[in-house]
Amino acid sequence: MNGSCCSPTGPITNLPVRQNLSAAIEAAHQQGWSAAVIVMKVGDLTEINHWHGYATGDRVIETVMERIESCLSEGHFVGRLGGGHFLVFLRTQLHRAALAEHVEQLISRVSSAMDFGAGALFINCTAGVSQMPDDALVADQLLRNAELALRSARIGNQAFYSEALQQNLASHAEIRSALVGALERKEFFLAYQPQVCMKTGETFAVEALLRWQSPSLGLVPPDRFIPVAESTGLMPELGDWILESACLQASEWLKEGKPLRVAVNISAAQLEERGFASRVQEILADCHLPASWLEIEVTESMLVGHVEDTQRTLLAIRDAGVKLALDDFGTGYSNLAYLRHFVFDTLKIDRLFTSAVTDARAGDVLVRAIIAMGAELGHEIVAEGVETAEQMQSLQKLGCSRMQGYYFSRPVRPEEILRD
Ligand code: C2E
Ligand code: CA
Ligand code: CA
């Protein structure tokens, strides 16, 4: 049962993979072994195929398969389920913490830089885990449980299946119906995460992050409900509320004599709305907030497609004095041409790079290159997702002095933002 059970490009259906899984689960069960079924999802293969070509997409798949295999031993196997989904079977007596550590290694191995000669590609990887016999005894159920766990995992992380998860994990349809009227019922609030300057030790800005406390579904993470809000057309309205609330908060802080720049994430739907630049200025005026206290964060993926319109909108926003940040820099497209077409004040180094910065091989080199390039182009660089003192020190050594992450503070209520 060792080795991969299908070719990297995969057969038309995933039946052979599932058949292999059934046989492996049955054998493990009969022999008194425990087992884990892991579904790993990598990046967005459709986007990779589109922007880097199908040949690169195929090589990504091959590389992911090879990397997973390199972490497996006798009695384990990997197969491709289709798209960017991979199945890993582990016959193991590992207890949960050790298993989680193993899955963590798999995620970090898969998400380290890939370089096929045209610049490094960073692929994020998320995993869902289900265990035999605890969660189920048959392959099909274990696979469905692992997929359910995957849906609840944050990008780049893992989640284990549990019965509570089954009950709590709202479907797309449930989220959609719970979102109706949620804005009017005041179920949303903003949390703020400090961005710290290591040279002065001060919080120089905060990022506003949307939170939804649904009475029926609990606290739903933004990764889960924002795509639904976008697909149901709620996003321009919700985005407007976010901008207004964040600007009001910044204006409060300004009035209190403790001004702080507030960075606000905007969604593609907002950016594509006609008159978005004027709306931003209207909100600033209504909130009596000078434009330089607002920063707008956009991601690379939002810049593709409508380059000219987007460029015009972003230029108008920037001309009004609002700062612009390029979020999650380096993930997805890594197309440096965007830096020429669009004028950004800030580049936010994605958490993927930050977590690799203490790894003396690829991560370190890439972060160094991003910092040097940012300095050359006059951008402010902010490293995101700083979780440990080692990462903070490595980034400082590389000349990055602005950081954001759990090491400094999780996103908190505005009254918890402490400043001198
Ligand atoms: P993002 O813009 O990249 O936001 C950073 C995310 O990383 C936040 O997750 C934050 O809580 C998390 N984070 C910060 N420091 C650390 C760290 O040290 N370690 C780890 N593991 N994570 C860290 P959150 O709040 O769940 O938001 C997820 C995504 O949802 C955001 O990613 C953004 O794309 C979107 N989002 C959040 N708020 C808004 C919003 O108001 N509008 C729009 N359009 N999107 C939003
Ligand atoms: Ca952001
Ligand atoms: Ca980000």
Side-chain angles (χ1 to χ4, degrees), residues 303-319:
L303 307 180
V304 294
H306 319 269
V307 176
E308 275 179 25
D309 290 349
T310 314
Q311 200 175 6
R312 209 172 303 125
T313 305
L314 289 179
L315 266 179
I317 291 174
R318 197 165 182 265
D319 281 347

Side-chain angles (χ1 to χ4, degrees), residues 150-168:
L150 176 71
R151 280 172 46 201
S152 79
R154 297 201 155 203
I155 292 172
N157 290 324
Q158 59 177 297
F160 276 66
Y161 170 80
S162 68
E163 264 177 46
L165 180 74
Q166 171 90 46
Q167 281 153 11
N168 291 342

